[in-house]
Amino acid sequence: VQLQASGGGLAQAGDSLRLSCAVSGRTVRSTSVAWFRQAPGKEREFVASIRGSDGRTAYADSVKGRFTISRDSAKRTVSLQMNNLHAEDTAAYYCAAGPTHIIVSATTNEGSYDYWGQGTQVTVSS
């Protein structure tokens, strides 16, 4: 499985950005995909996930209501729509892929995902 993340860039607080993760080597519906992010000097943290088996989504509390994760089987992509960006959203964003089904309690854990893409930088100015 290979992942290619794109869509990062510069934004102002309140703006929107859309990240995409292109998945190859496996169908999107057979792959659970998550977005994680890492800000300078901080540990990598979970942002959002979509489970391959049933499309169930999960979000970190800090992005709930502002970010939306979705998948497009035809395009083999998983997207992260980020609205109302805050300066605290500044980070390198990584997409990760795991097995078709991940139990709910494990969807936020890095160890549940076997494959990682390169990061895409999101910088939000206040």
Side-chain angles (χ1 to χ4, degrees), residues 32-111:
S32 297
V33 176
W35 287 93
F36 289 79
R37 67 186 181 186
Q38 187 168 23
K42 294 187 177 181
E43 293 186 352
R44 189 156 55 187
E45 64 176 3
F46 169 80
V47 177
S49 66
I50 185 164
R51 195 160 64 179
S53 57
D54 57 7
R56 180 173 180 153
T57 59
Y59 297 92
D61 288 343
S62 59
V63 307
K64 204 170 292 185
R66 301 188 296 122
F67 290 11
T68 303
I69 189 169
S70 61
R71 63 188 182 185
D72 187 323
S73 298
K75 295 182 179 179
R76 294 193 173 189
T77 59
V78 173
S79 297
L80 184 68
Q81 177 67 39
M82 306 185 295
N83 297 331
N84 189 22
L85 284 164
H86 302 165
E88 307 85 78
D89 295 320
T90 295
Y93 283 71
Y94 300 87
C95 59
T100 304
H101 186 82
I102 299 177
I103 60 174
V104 172
S105 60
T107 54
T108 63
N109 297 336
E110 289 188 29

